[in-house]
Amino acid sequence: MNEIVQEKIIKGHKNGMAMMLMFGCIYVLSIVLLVFTAMGLDGASVYITAATSEGINLFLFILSCAYVALGWFPLLGLKVLKPGEALVLTLFGKYIGTLKEDGFYYVNPFCTAFNPAADTKLGQSGDIADNKKLAGITINGGEMQMAGAGTSKKISLKVMTLSNSRQKVNDLLGNPVEVAVAVMWKVTDTAKAVFSVDNYKEYLSLQSDTAVRNVVKLYPYDITENVDTTGDGQADDGSLRGSTELVAQRIKAEIQSKVADAGIEIVDARITYLAYAPEIAAAMLQRQQAAAVVDARKLIVDGAVGMVELALERLNEKELVELDEERKAAMVSNLLVVLCGNHDAQPIVNSGSLY
């Protein structure tokens, strides 16, 4: 089992400005010394002393040349961090600590910043725009970007939003649905993020897709009778369309349980797109329309029966006409046809005797 690297916060070292000024002054003095020593012993004797030997003059010339050529190297230890940024530093492969506070730092120039996910561009905030998207991961300019090719090794500590592409998942009833989720996340442990997993951005993207698939298959798209979505053995009204908040919370908890070892905290998760897959969308629309028509017809029939009942009661109360059972049945049939029909009735008037 791999040893878990504990995060070490480097404090202090905010002397970048002083070190930059010091190395700048030394560089300028080296150039001046190089010029005067190059003038030769006669020219240098004016400024050094008469006792300065030619060997010392040659040594100073070589030393100044070396510093002018390599004086840029100490400047590699200058590090600038803005708020919400961190820098993981390694020295000859060994983790020495993380810079988290904003400021101008100076560290060992042999230290290198380590961030294996620096070249990975996801469809999320914080990454470079105008990139082409491929399976939730974007490739800059349509080509794989070479590692370290002008890419900052800094790790963002801000809350970022990951929006992976839509994925097709079967719900509890086996119906294919398309789901897209936006995940708000941030890095809380930089050591775990860069050392525990190979690429924490790709790891988060994969775990988000897996969590969506695992949770969506527990729910039907719409409310269905005799379905248990909570696992308590009792039927409930849970559904993807009606229980969006509950589904989002379960997705968040599922992702968090997978990425905690990578030093990532899931702040929130929200469903941004939910629909039936195109191959069954038309059939499901017809099903919904049929259900709506049945509900409307049921309401119309209930109202028509009440109106017929009221009409018969009023006729009996007023004693306007006496109807036998056969006539009542004919009257009820005619009234129901008139009240439940889709078109206006065209009655036939009987001018003769009722009997």
Side-chain angles (χ1 to χ4, degrees), residues 59-109:
F59 173 76
L60 293 176
F61 176 77
I62 296 174
L63 183 63
S64 59
C65 286
Y67 193 85
V68 169
L70 302 176
W72 53 269
F73 181 75
L75 299 178
L76 296 179
L78 298 174
K79 308 293 181 183
V80 179
L81 289 182
K82 298 187 289 292
E85 291 182 342
L87 205 60
V88 176
L89 300 177
T90 59
L91 181 61
F92 303 122
K94 182 179 179 181
Y95 172 62
I96 62 170
T98 301
L99 298 175
K100 274 193 170 181
E101 297 180 1
D102 57 291
F104 193 9
Y105 294 84
Y106 184 79
V107 297
N108 190 330

Side-chain angles (χ1 to χ4, degrees), residues 4-9 86 88 95 98 100 155 157 186-196 200 259-265:
I4 298 178
V5 179
Q6 300 296 328
E7 184 181 49
K8 295 184 292 184
I9 307 301
V88 176
Y95 172 62
T98 301
K100 274 193 170 181
I155 298 176
L157 302 179
K186 64 179 180 180
V187 175
T188 56
D189 192 313
T190 57
K192 289 182 179 180
V194 300
F195 296 117
S196 296
Y200 66 90
V259 301
D261 292 338
I264 297 175
E265 177 187 351

